[in-house]
Amino acid sequence: MIKDNRKKQVEKMIFTGMKNLFNTQDDLNFDEFAITTLEGLMLLEREEYLKSVKGADDIGNGTYLRSFKSLRKNSLQIQVPRTRNGVFKPLILDLVNQQKEQVNELALLLYRKGLSSRDVSDVMAEYFGESISRETVNNLAESFHEIRKAWENRELDAYYKIIFCDALYCSLKRGSSYSKEAVYIMYGVKDDNTRELLLLEVNPTEGASMWGEYFDKLKKRGVQQVDLIVADGLVGFSDSAKRFYPESDVQRCVVHLQRNLLNKIRPKDKEAFAYDLKQSFNNFDKDSTKEGAKEKLNQLKATWQQSYAGILTKLADEEFILDYLTYIDYPIEVRRMIYTTNSIENLNRQIRKVTKTKVTFDKESNLLDLVFMIIKDFEMNNWQKYPVIAYQNWPRKTQSK
């Protein structure tokens, strides 16, 4: 290990050497200046090293040729100084190697932000020369595969306040054909009010039975209690969730329900119907009750019964509608956050923004690896960074034994 005093000497020497060499760069092109700078600094560094080990039977022993990729060319031929016993290694080499790592990190960042591997390769070529290939970009992305597989087997917390569930569709190749397949996503609100990804899976279609399998996976990874599960209006979802978490409440997305109903309304009636429908689910004050909400829904049905009797039938079905009114049982400050899956829809928009540039995925693992990268980036910069303060007075359920 290099002693601290040598590190300080080398740092001082590097800054001095860079300043002196920079003053001569008018007569050199960029790559010549890089070679001259690196070789000069390494010679100075060896000189300092030999002074520090004087009397330790080590002397300079010429140089050896080494190739490095530059930011503008495939490689630069640099003479690296050495000593007889081979102990000396220039610190400058570490700086050069770090440059390569930073180029790789930049390539992966561009890929994660939505550029295809071809786009990344083109950008790197335009700004940095032939420094990274499409294959290298793909290999860098695949480096996340092992990280994702390890995450899939990681034990989860025993308790989550809320789990949000949703699926979005991406184009995936199976065999010789491509089709849109469902990417299942679950994220949870932890006891400290931060959020984390819990599950990421892909399946040709979205169905209640698949959600059941995924809840089973959560159970096996250690999740024992979930107070509230929020999802869209998929038929059979509640039964699948409660098979594994019977004491959890389920909130089906009110926004999805409203959107589906409005799609069936004539244009001339849409504005008035939308207003009445919104008021029926406007239960965000302290005096709101489920009984009051059901009364407003009955009034909505009475108002529009003559024109849309078939569409409104389910709103009068108490068993159907109760899962849409669960939010009323929770504190006022969280109701708008839990009566819809909008929070996970925000994440889905980030995913679509990137995946749409990829057009299609040849392998299921490639799709999952990319989506995993996107979500973990979102998690680090949003979910973990900004706990949801509104959840701090969350009414934790008492589980029966």
Side-chain angles (χ1 to χ4, degrees), residues 85-323:
N85 65 17
V87 173
F88 170 72
K89 180 182 177 183
L91 289 176
I92 295 298
L93 293 183
D94 291 334
L95 298 177
V96 174
N97 289 330
Q98 285 175 18
Q99 171 199 301
K100 181 179 179 181
E101 292 174 5
Q102 290 169 353
V103 168
N104 287 345
E105 288 175 5
L106 174 59
L108 187 57
L109 175 63
L110 293 172
Y111 182 81
R112 194 168 68 233
K113 293 298 184 182
L115 272 67
S116 67
S117 56
R118 183 188 297 275
D119 292 335
V120 173
S121 181
D122 290 345
V123 169
M124 302 303 281
E126 181 176 349
Y127 287 95
F128 304 121
E130 298 290 337
S131 55
I132 195 162
S133 67
R134 291 166 56 192
E135 290 73 23
T136 300
V137 176
N138 288 330
N139 290 338
L140 288 169
E142 287 182 7
S143 68
F144 269 76
H145 178 73
E146 294 304 320
I147 298 173
R148 179 176 63 82
K149 298 304 290 184
W151 166 81
E152 285 180 349
N153 296 311
R154 179 177 67 84
E155 187 171 350
L156 299 172
D157 290 356
Y159 168 70
Y160 289 90
K161 294 179 177 180
I162 314 169
I163 289 180
F164 288 87
C165 308
D166 200 14
L168 72 159
Y169 285 80
C170 294
S171 185
L172 178 64
K173 182 180 181 181
R174 288 191 189 273
S176 59
S177 62
Y178 292 88
S179 64
K180 295 285 188 178
E181 297 203 4
V183 178
Y184 290 73
I185 299 171
M186 292 185 185
Y187 87 78
V189 178
K190 295 160 62 77
D191 201 25
D192 64 359
N193 304 316
T194 59
R195 293 154 288 175
E196 69 170 344
L197 177 67
L198 303 180
L199 180 133
L200 178 64
E201 298 280 354
V202 65
N203 196 66
T205 60
E206 182 184 8
S209 61
M210 289 308 304
W211 280 115
E213 289 186 24
Y214 298 148
F215 279 116
D216 187 30
K217 282 192 174 185
L218 291 191
K219 198 86 171 181
K220 290 175 179 176
R221 290 177 66 190
V223 181
Q224 298 301 313
Q225 178 182 342
V226 182
D227 288 341
L228 178 66
I229 299 170
V230 182
D232 61 20
L234 183 69
V235 175
F237 178 90
S238 295
D239 292 338
S240 293
K242 285 183 173 292
R243 187 160 66 250
F244 296 95
Y245 297 99
E247 297 188 44
S248 299
D249 290 334
V250 174
Q251 170 65 50
R252 298 172 76 176
C253 181
V254 171
V255 173
H256 275 81
L257 175 64
Q258 292 174 331
R259 190 182 301 145
N260 291 337
L261 289 172
L262 286 171
N263 285 338
K264 301 171 184 177
I265 304 300
R266 294 173 180 172
K268 71 181 183 66
D269 296 329
K270 192 160 286 191
E271 184 176 353
F273 185 90
Y275 176 83
D276 290 347
L277 182 61
K278 183 177 181 180
Q279 291 306 307
S280 299
F281 288 97
N282 186 6
N283 303 294
F284 303 113
D285 58 61
K286 61 183 179 61
D287 297 322
S288 297
T289 64
K290 283 186 176 179
E291 290 304 315
K294 285 187 282 187
E295 180 59 36
K296 286 192 287 186
L297 287 168
N298 287 333
Q299 183 60 47
L300 172 73
K301 183 181 178 183
T303 302
W304 295 95
Q305 176 76 16
Q306 187 173 353
S307 301
Y308 302 104
I311 296 172
L312 297 171
T313 300
K314 281 203 167 185
L315 294 182
D317 181 346
E318 184 163 326
E319 184 178 353
F320 170 82
I321 206 63
L322 278 178
D323 281 349

